[in-house]
Amino acid sequence: MHDTPSSKTNPTIVLIANPNTYRGKSFARAADRLDLHILWAIDIPEKLASEWNMSLSVDFSNHDESVATIVDLANTNHVVSILAIDDSATLIAADACKLLGLPHNSPSAAVAARDKFVMRQRLLSSNILSPKFKSFQHNANPEKIIKRISYPCVLKPLLLNGSRGVIRANNPTEFKTAWHRIRNILSNSVGTHIMVEDYIPGTEVAVEALISDKGIKILAIFDKPDPLIGPFFEETIYVTPSRLPQEDQLEIENTLISAARALGLRFGPIHAEFRINEQGVWPIEIAGRTIGGLCSNILSFGSVLSLEELVLLQASGSNIEKFTADDRSKGVMMIPIPKRGILRKITGIEQAKSIAGIDNIEITAKLHYPLHTLPEGDGYLGFIFAYDKSPSAVENALRQSHSLLQFQIESEIMLEQIK
Ligand SMILES: Nc1ncnc2c1ncn2[C@@H]1O[C@H](COP(=O)(O)OP(=O)(O)O)[C@@H](O)[C@H]1O
Ligand SMILES: [Mg+2]
C-alpha cells in the first residue's frame, strides 16, 4: 500500500496518532482541503490496520520499533514531514525526523515538552519563574514525603494530560489521599513518577503558537475565566482575545519565548499554559503540539485557514508568516462531566444552540458508555463554540447555552442494583 509510484514522488506528511485522539478529523480535513498527501501512523494492532487498509500500525509502547517503522516508510515514500498530532508520539516523531534529516524539534526538546519533570528542570536553569518541585517514584511511601514539602502543593503524573491525575493538596492528609489516587491512575497508564510542585495562585491562560527559525508566532491567548483552584482542575471555558492588559500579554509572550528557548523547541505547534500573579508570569506547562479536543474549531487564519491547515502548511515547507488570526471574539466550552455513570440521554441541544452567539455544539461522548470524572477521567461530554461582539459576550453565551443542556447520567449504584 505504501510503495506505489505516486507515493514515491508525492510529497507526503506522516501523521502519528493515538486511536482515541479527538484531533484526527481536523487534521484529515485540513490535509484534504490543502490537497496534501498524508499517511496515518496509528497506535493500533497491525491486523486491524491492514484490515482497514488505511493506516500504518505502530506500537507506541515500543519506541525504537515505532521509529524504525516510520523510517522504513520514508524509504519507500517521499516523506517531507512527520508530525505527532497529540502528546503521546512527539518523541517518536522527533527521533524519526532526526534520522531522516527532516525539520522538527530535537529529541531532547521533545522530551522536555512531553515530560513535566524534565520541563521544570530545564525552566529552572533559565531565569523563568518556577515553583519548587520534586519528583518521586509512585511506589514510594507518601508518609516519608509529606514532611519534605510545603503546602498547598499540586501532585501530578509526568506524562498525562487533560488535567488527569492533577490534584491540589492543602495538608498532609489530602496529600496522602491524592497520592493513592494518582498511584491507581498510573497502574493503567503511562509513567512511574509523581511530581509535587508548589501551588501557584493566579489567573490562568492558554497560548497557542507556532515556532520556526523566524521566531514564535502567537496565534491566540485564551483566558480561562472559570476559577481553577482545585482540588481538581477541570478545563471548561476558553475565550480569546484575552482581556488581560496588553503589558501582561506582552509578558506572557516574552515568557513563552524564553521558555521555548530553555526547552530547545524550534519547530511546529506549541500549546502552553501560564498563571499570572503579582510576581509575574509562571509557566504551568509547554507542550509541542496543538490545543487538545475540538477547541481549535473556533480559530481561523487569513480568514480561511484552520489551525491544522496552518500546521500542515508549515510542516510541508510553506511560509505561514502572512497568515494572521482573525480578530473576532470567540470561545469554546469543554463540557465537563458532572458525575460518574452511564450517559443515557442528552436533552436541550436545540435550545442551547439557539442562544445568540452560539455557533455550534458537538457532543462527543457516546450514549450508553461509562463516563469518568476527574481526576481519573480523560474526556468531555462535548464542546460548545461561540462567536460574539466581545469576549464577555462570548463567555455569557457559552454559560447560558451550557445551562440549557441536560445530561441524564445513570449512577453506578443503580447499575449495581440491576445486576
Ligand atoms: N503548580 C500549579 N499551581 C497551580 N495550579 C496548577 C499547578 N500545576 C497544575 N495546575 C493546574 O492544573 C491544570 C493541569 O495541570 P498541567 O500541569 O497543565 O497538566 P495537564 O497536562 O494534565 O494539563 C493546570 O492547567 C492548572 O490549572
Ligand atoms: Mg495542561
Side-chain angles (χ1 to χ4, degrees):
M1 130 177 106
H2 307 120
D3 199 8
T4 60
S6 69
S7 65
K8 271 191 168 162
T9 50
N10 215 353
T12 295
I13 299 180
V14 179
L15 294 180
I16 318 179
N18 203 310
N20 50 23
T21 181
Y22 279 106
R23 313 283 301 120
K25 254 198 209 157
S26 307
F27 273 98
R29 200 182 309 127
D32 231 36
R33 283 178 35 128
L34 296 170
D35 205 17
L36 286 172
H37 186 236
I38 53 168
L39 282 174
W40 288 98
I42 303 185
D43 184 21
I44 47 170
E46 202 166 341
K47 191 160 180 299
L48 215 58
S50 61
E51 270 168 20
W52 290 354
N53 195 27
M54 55 173 286
S55 53
L56 184 72
S57 146
V58 281
D59 175 4
F60 288 0
S61 66
N62 190 337
H63 175 86
D64 293 351
E65 198 182 282
S66 299
V67 173
T69 308
I70 291 167
V71 170
D72 271 358
L73 177 81
N75 291 330
T76 48
N77 290 266
H78 177 27
V79 172
V80 294
S81 178
I82 302 167
L83 275 179
I85 69 169
D86 33 38
D87 276 331
S88 45
T90 46
L91 199 49
I92 295 173
D95 276 327
C97 284
K98 183 167 184 216
L99 287 169
L100 293 164
L102 296 175
H104 200 281
N105 289 317
S106 68
S108 138
V111 172
R114 167 84 176 107
D115 181 311
K116 293 180 167 69
F117 182 60
V118 181
M119 183 202 76
R120 283 276 177 238
Q121 286 174 313
R122 298 266 173 93
L123 293 181
L124 196 62
S125 56
S126 60
N127 58 1
I128 297 167
L129 289 174
S130 180
K132 280 200 271 45
F133 65 97
K134 291 190 180 76
S135 168
F136 304 93
Q137 278 274 355
H138 70 97
N139 52 11
N141 181 357
E143 288 292 347
K144 294 199 172 138
I145 299 171
I146 50 176
K147 296 188 200 84
R148 295 177 53 194
I149 50 173
S150 42
Y151 299 91
C153 64
V154 173
L155 296 85
K156 57 175 92 169
L158 305 184
L159 302 172
L160 302 186
N161 47 36
S163 299
R164 225 177 136 212
V166 180
I167 307 176
R168 171 177 170 165
N170 296 314
N171 53 52
T173 310
E174 288 181 9
F175 184 95
K176 282 186 277 180
T177 312
W179 184 275
H180 290 295
R181 252 178 125 158
I182 301 174
R183 186 186 274 175
N184 269 340
I185 294 172
L186 289 179
S187 65
N188 47 35
S189 52
V190 282
T192 53
H193 282 70
I194 299 175
M195 182 158 74
V196 183
E197 55 185 40
D198 284 351
Y199 176 81
I200 308 161
T203 353
E204 189 164 320
V205 295
V207 181
E208 211 52 25
L210 271 174
I211 184 164
S212 68
D213 51 9
K214 297 191 176 58
I216 287 198
K217 185 179 170 77
I218 302 279
L219 305 175
I221 299 182
F222 292 96
D223 288 336
K224 301 188 184 186
D226 275 337
L228 286 159
I229 50 172
F232 313 130
F233 298 90
E234 191 160 56
E235 300 272 29
T236 52
I237 295 180
Y238 274 40
V239 177
T240 188
S242 169
R243 283 167 271 178
L244 288 174
Q246 272 312 315
E247 68 221 51
D248 285 357
Q249 297 195 36
L250 204 61
E251 204 178 326
I252 291 167
E253 188 170 341
N254 287 333
T255 310
L256 179 59
I257 293 169
S258 310
R261 194 174 300 135
L263 267 47
L265 292 171
R266 295 240 169 103
F267 188 79
I270 297 183
H271 176 76
E273 276 144 359
F274 299 93
R275 284 202 165 204
I276 301 104
N277 59 28
E278 60 290 343
Q279 288 164 278
V281 175
W282 302 69
I284 295 289
E285 68 167 341
I286 320 281
R289 58 163 169 88
T290 53
I291 190 169
L294 304 182
C295 299
S296 68
N297 285 9
I298 50 163
L299 298 176
S300 71
F301 304 90
S303 37
V304 284
L305 293 182
S306 66
L307 174 65
E308 294 75 15
E309 286 172 78
L310 212 57
V311 169
L312 291 182
L313 278 175
Q314 190 201 32
S316 60
S318 301
N319 183 350
I320 46 125
E321 288 310 303
K322 61 176 184 282
F323 297 109
T324 51
D326 77 83
D327 54 10
R328 278 187 297 174
S329 296
K330 50 205 168 270
V332 55
M333 180 173 196
M334 290 158 254
I335 307 171
I337 295 173
K339 66 170 192 169
R340 229 184 125 132
I342 307 285
L343 177 63
R344 291 299 186 203
K345 196 173 171 192
I346 305 163
T347 49
I349 298 179
E350 286 316 309
Q351 293 93 308
K353 270 188 187 170
S354 69
I355 296 298
I358 297 301
D359 181 60
N360 194 16
I361 297 179
E362 277 199 45
I363 301 297
T364 46
K366 290 194 178 65
L367 286 185
H368 314 303
Y369 276 78
L371 296 173
H372 298 282
T373 48
L374 280 174
E376 286 80 16
D378 64 347
Y380 309 105
L381 290 170
F383 299 81
I384 310 176
F385 306 99
Y387 298 90
D388 215 322
K389 54 186 184 306
S390 66
S392 59
V394 168
E395 182 184 334
N396 289 340
L398 291 170
R399 291 194 193 285
Q400 214 186 335
S401 174
H402 179 240
S403 73
L404 296 171
L405 292 172
Q406 294 100 32
F407 296 92
Q408 191 182 314
I409 300 169
E410 200 169 295
S411 75
E412 284 162 315
I413 296 159
M414 282 171 72
L415 289 174
E416 281 301 317
Q417 285 166 350
I418 296 165
K419 270 196 228 158

